[in-house]
Amino acid sequence: MSTGSYQDAIEHLNSLQTNATALEAARAAGPRLNPNAISEMIEFLERIEYTCEDLNTLNVIHITGTKGKGSTSAFTDSILRHVRPNWKVGLYTSPHLVAVRERIRINGKSLSEEDFARYFFEVWDRLQKNGVSVFHPKTPDFPVMPGYFRYLTLMAFHAFMSERVDATILEVGIGGAGDSTNIVPKPIVTGITSLGLDHTAVLGKTIGAIAWQKGGIYKARIKIYKGVPALSVTQRNEGMEVLKERAEELQAAYFMEVPSLPGPGPVKLGLAGEHQVQNAALAVQMAHIFLRSVDASESQPEPLSQLPAPFLAGLEYTRWPGRCQTVLDPNYQHTTWYLDGAHTVESLSCCIQWFVQVGLGLNSSMTLVREPQPTRVLIFNCTSGRSGPAFLGAILDKTRELLLRQGREEKAEEFFGHVIFCSNVTYADGHFKGDLTSRALSNTDLVNLTTQHELATAWSQLIPQFPSAAIHVLPSIEHAIRTVRGLSNAARIDVLVTGSLHLVGGIIEVAGLASFAL
């Protein structure tokens, strides 16, 4: 049996990443999903000596969506842990911020390095022992080893089975129908958060096409398994119609458009941002259906109309780092970091809605003594294939709208004093922290900072009068933090970091925020 350290496990795991050349070829080929994705994942599961039916014992809540699926998963996890404090609750999410082991949590805590390494190599050994020469594949062109996300999904299943969890919240990686998580025959309940345009090269270029993929997690009435409740937050008409059609096509038990949060007044949420109310509402109804199903086998409970105390506590004490999060710098007390991994036009709009408000990015206009205006810094990056210029335009448009709405004289074009476009490379010497390594980045792009220069050009075109000296194109996250630290003449520095969860995680790591942010 193989043994190894956590770092050994991370090195092995990183060897399973898809490289930039393969990703670029896939993008060039246009929207095309692997028709064997599910059958291959099932074969990998069998190679680590489980069946799909075994996964039913995990009592799964399956969640997908374009934005908010991680936050909804966190709300659901917290509610279950407060309602059933004696349970073991597993949570599988992606991506991670600082350490890969964040993706697999039990009772709110990431796997320890020791447990991660143990479960990692147990899966690795089973895959090696039951290799292609022994385990004859049923699907054509069957890969020898699973890719990065598939491997972590298999490992999560193995860890949760080994730990005998009472409930599992399973967040989809990309899409739904062909996602690696979509091999559980009978989850307890399925839910879909807000839909938007993302991963269009894989999922399709319309809300309808994306809804079809996401709706693939709704579960059919198959053999001995009854259909599974299919939930969704309110969507645009095109998306909602497709989701309803998918629920009917797949013979879900029933379809529910989730109502607003129950109760007479506002509910205190542990996650900031107006958009979190919708995510919390979905989490509440999924947890309610789950508990009724597990406890009383009630097939279709009425939507929860009043929030019990454990539900309220679960919502209030939910924590989900890197999403509309404020962190005071422990070493530079005049610096505050505002962290949000928004990476779609819709989620960036929500991010700015959160940031451009009094008490965060804006001073109060009601104070008798005029507060010094902060120096605001935007640190931004986005992955290749996403529309950086459109994202920056969305940031400016939303900022302008909010300043006008609040009667501010400040102009959106002058809102940020500096903008920094940096790569997601962790350190100034060109290396990544092991957990943050990405082989999906093109070496040419990294060397030439192609994406970052494109973003800088787009910013200059959006705001021609913006000082060129205040636009920084930098090769690493460490360079970006040094630039912020160098603004020593500012009485107060507010730094908004957005565009990429990988960027947010790198900032937390290099700026020394982990003990406060995570």
Side-chain angles (χ1 to χ4, degrees):
M1 176 178 173
S2 300
T3 57
S5 67
Y6 178 72
Q7 289 307 320
D8 293 332
I10 295 304
E11 288 180 15
H12 280 68
L13 179 63
N14 285 338
S15 73
L16 302 177
Q17 289 192 35
T18 305
N19 63 36
T21 303
L23 285 174
E24 197 55 46
R27 287 194 194 102
R32 186 177 63 86
L33 291 166
N34 177 4
N36 300 317
I38 295 300
S39 58
E40 287 177 0
M41 188 63 184
I42 291 170
E43 291 199 43
F44 278 126
L45 184 72
E46 291 170 351
R47 279 179 59 192
I48 65 168
E49 300 169 12
Y50 294 108
T51 67
C52 292
E53 285 68 26
D54 291 335
L55 302 182
N56 288 333
T57 64
L58 296 177
N59 292 328
V60 168
I61 298 175
H62 203 187
I63 302 171
T64 191
T66 305
K67 60 188 179 75
K69 63 182 187 291
S71 298
T72 302
S73 298
F75 277 127
T76 309
D77 170 66
S78 184
I79 291 169
L80 290 186
R81 287 189 288 111
H82 280 82
V83 175
R84 294 287 186 269
N86 58 325
W87 275 9
K88 273 189 178 180
V89 180
L91 174 64
Y92 177 59
T93 60
S94 61
H96 58 277
L97 287 174
V98 172
V100 177
R101 58 195 181 87
E102 296 165 26
R103 297 181 181 223
I104 305 173
R105 300 174 188 243
I106 296 176
N107 288 345
K109 295 182 178 178
S110 305
L111 287 184
S112 67
E113 291 190 357
E114 293 76 13
D115 285 343
F116 185 96
R118 175 162 56 90
Y119 289 133
F120 181 93
F121 284 110
E122 285 175 358
V123 170
W124 190 274
D125 284 347
R126 292 185 189 185
L127 288 169
Q128 295 293 323
K129 180 182 75 172
N130 301 318
V132 174
S133 60
V134 176
F135 192 94
H136 300 294
K138 301 166 192 163
T139 56
D141 302 319
F142 188 78
V144 176
M145 288 290 281
Y148 187 97
F149 182 76
R150 276 182 171 180
Y151 192 97
L152 285 171
T153 305
L154 291 166
M155 184 182 154
F157 287 143
H158 175 55
F160 294 151
M161 293 291 291
S162 300
E163 295 284 342
R164 298 178 183 273
V165 298
D166 298 286
T168 300
I169 295 98
L170 202 58
E171 181 198 1
V172 164
I174 294 177
D179 188 73
S180 302
T181 61
N182 200 29
I183 60 170
V184 183
K186 184 70 165 58
I188 306 299
V189 61
T190 57
I192 297 180
T193 65
S194 183
L195 298 176
L197 297 176
D198 194 23
H199 300 294
T200 54
V202 176
L203 302 178
K205 299 185 182 300
T206 66
I207 291 295
I210 289 170
W212 192 93
Q213 293 293 341
K214 304 285 185 184
I217 70 164
Y218 292 156
K219 288 296 177 294
R221 187 187 304 271
I222 302 174
K223 297 180 182 177
I224 62 171
Y225 302 120
K226 296 180 180 178
V228 174
L231 277 62
S232 173
V233 301
T234 300
Q235 310 282 359
R236 287 184 249 175
N237 288 341
E238 179 187 3
M240 186 60 86
E241 286 306 310
V242 172
L243 292 181
K244 289 177 180 177
E245 289 168 5
R246 286 291 266 163
E248 183 176 353
E249 169 199 343
L250 295 173
Q251 297 182 328
Y254 57 89
F255 179 85
M256 178 198 292
E257 181 176 346
V258 171
S260 57
L261 269 176
V267 175
K268 189 172 183 180
L269 302 180
L271 305 184
E274 292 180 10
H275 57 288
Q276 295 294 359
V277 175
Q278 188 180 56
N279 297 329
L282 176 58
V284 161
Q285 298 303 339
M286 286 194 300
H288 171 59
I289 292 168
F290 179 90
L291 291 164
R292 287 299 183 92
S293 176
V294 170
D295 291 349
S297 299
E298 191 172 346
S299 61
Q300 188 172 349
E302 288 296 316
L304 198 61
S305 58
Q306 195 70 30
L307 289 174
F311 275 68
L312 288 167
L315 293 172
E316 180 177 354
Y317 293 106
T318 299
R319 296 293 177 266
W320 200 233
R323 285 79 171 176
C324 293
Q325 183 181 20
T326 303
V327 183
L328 300 177
D329 195 306
N331 301 311
Y332 296 80
Q333 295 185 2
H334 64 300
T335 301
T336 304
W337 300 88
Y338 298 90
L339 311 174
D340 190 66
H343 52 273
T344 67
V345 168
E346 294 89 350
S347 58
L348 282 165
S349 178
C350 292
C351 168
I352 298 301
Q353 179 87 34
W354 160 70
F355 180 65
V356 183
Q357 63 173 302
V358 172
L360 294 177
L362 291 179
N363 286 343
S364 172
S365 58
M366 304 299 290
T367 54
L368 295 175
V369 178
R370 188 173 179 85
E371 298 177 58
Q373 186 79 324
T375 295
R376 301 189 197 92
V377 181
L378 172 66
I379 302 181
F380 185 89
N381 190 32
C382 62
T383 53
S384 177
R386 288 194 166 104
S387 180
F391 290 173
L392 296 177
I395 289 173
L396 280 173
D397 289 345
K398 193 66 179 180
T399 302
R400 186 178 296 109
E401 173 194 326
L402 292 167
L403 291 174
L404 286 170
R405 187 188 302 169
Q406 297 178 62
R408 296 284 177 147
E409 295 180 0
E410 198 172 358
K411 294 180 179 178
E413 291 79 3
E414 299 170 358
F415 188 75
F416 292 104
H418 292 262
V419 291
I420 297 173
F421 303 111
C422 68
S423 77
N424 287 348
V425 173
T426 316
Y427 300 115
D429 64 3
H431 288 89
F432 287 90
K433 179 190 175 186
D435 294 76
L436 301 177
T437 298
S438 175
R439 298 185 179 180
L441 300 175
S442 159
N443 285 333
T444 303
D445 192 7
L446 285 177
V447 170
N448 297 326
L449 299 177
T450 307
T451 297
Q452 290 67 41
H453 281 293
E454 288 172 354
L455 291 168
T457 299
W459 187 265
S460 295
Q461 290 171 344
L462 288 164
I463 313 176
Q465 69 272 29
F466 198 89
S468 58
I471 302 175
H472 310 269
V473 172
L474 301 173
S476 76
I477 289 168
E478 187 173 2
H479 281 96
I481 291 170
R482 287 178 185 173
T483 300
V484 171
R485 304 286 195 227
L487 301 174
S488 54
N489 60 335
R492 175 179 142 202
I493 303 173
D494 290 349
V495 190
L496 176 62
V497 183
T498 192
S500 161
L501 274 168
H502 301 285
L503 172 64
V504 168
I507 291 286
I508 291 172
E509 172 69 18
V510 180
L513 308 179
S515 58
F516 299 87
L518 299 180

